[in-house]
Amino acid sequence: MDQPSGRSFMQVLCEKYSPENFPYRRGPGMGVHVPATPQGSPMKDRLNLPSVLVLNSCGITCAGDENEIAAFCAHVSELDLSDNKLEDWHEVSKIVSNVPHLEFLNLSSNPLSLSVLERRCAGSFAGVRKLVLNNSKASWETVHTILQELPDLEELFLCLNDYETVSCSPVCCQSLKLLHITDNNLQDWTEIRKLGIMFPSLDTLILANNNLTTIEESEDSLARLFPNLRSINLHKSGLHCWEDIDKLNSFPKLEEVKLLGIPLLQSYTTEERRKLLIARLPSIIKLNGSIVADGEREDSERFFIRYYMEFPEEEVPFRYHELVTKYGKLEPLAVVDLRPQSSAKVEVHFQDKVEEMSIRLDQTVAELKKHLKTVVQLSTSNMLLFYLDQEAPFGPEEMKYSSRALHSYGIRDGDKIYVEPRIK
């Protein structure tokens, strides 16, 4: 196992972005040139650093020389340190405090739950706008400390942290717009409502893969809790009741919803799921990633009326009555069987005889001739068939191609088939 004095941020930086491994690229902000120090720095005299540094899975345990970090990373704006071995917030602070223009920081899958984040360390993160702490098992106390010291934080990622509850921060974070808190175990709505209290400006809330079972809140309270929420992701939550879907209408600015994989929808067809959701959510302009066009909304609302029109009155949702007021009571759609006809009753004419027969339309002309042999007492080679459509204006059509299927003639009940002997 690496010791705290193991691979440093600066050591990995030198290795990855040396001229041999990372060819020099010209242009503003694409590289920096630092002369070797008089004491003889172990670094190359030039490192080619982009403004976005990706140093994930490099075994980093500590910062290294802070003066060197400051010299090389003055222009860096994004830093990915995920899946390393950083377990001390002091070491992270040494890195971040020397990257003055840092806006994006990914610390996912580092064992940082092993140390306490002090406020003076968190202060070095002050300029960060996007912070990723997925699978870091960061405690809510750590999150609260970060929130107090990052006045411009806009996006926070807290996935895979085994949260079963939410601990409210003593102060609100007015700047946060996006919270990604998927793959935890937040089952109770009382925990989710705390997020609304902490983040009143929240625009996007991603709750996928939590086992949230219901939305237990009044409509007025929901509007106050999430007044600016525009998008919510509830993929693979435990919602099982249409009343929970209706409550989403209480969010005054909500226009995008994701609701795949919830128990409520399992018994419906794909078409029913989408149309019933669109009809119940009149303000939504995007559902499960797809734009809801005006024509699709009208089709869905009309579908909704017809879907519920035969239900008992006590089972009809209130939305049904709203849509009946909008469109009126609709007639049920006519059931049209578009399957091809499999048989037809026709008149078979031979000499002076007429016999009504039911014939299969999937058979060929040759097979029909075999069927008619005993009826007309002619061999198949000595038999000519003519088909007369009862509405055809041009008279009988010879059925001359033995392999042609009867349904291709468009034969219907009441049509006629004439049999004549072949003249030798």
Side-chain angles (χ1 to χ4, degrees), residues 304-313 315-316 320 330 332:
F304 190 90
I305 292 174
R306 292 189 172 100
Y307 184 87
Y308 281 104
M309 65 193 330
E310 301 298 331
F311 275 58
E313 180 63 30
E315 296 180 24
V316 174
Y320 170 83
L330 305 179

Side-chain angles (χ1 to χ4, degrees), residues 364-367 369 399-405:
T364 63
V365 171
E367 290 170 331
K369 285 182 177 181
M399 304 170 76
K400 61 174 70 173
Y401 301 107
S402 297
S403 60
R404 183 172 173 181

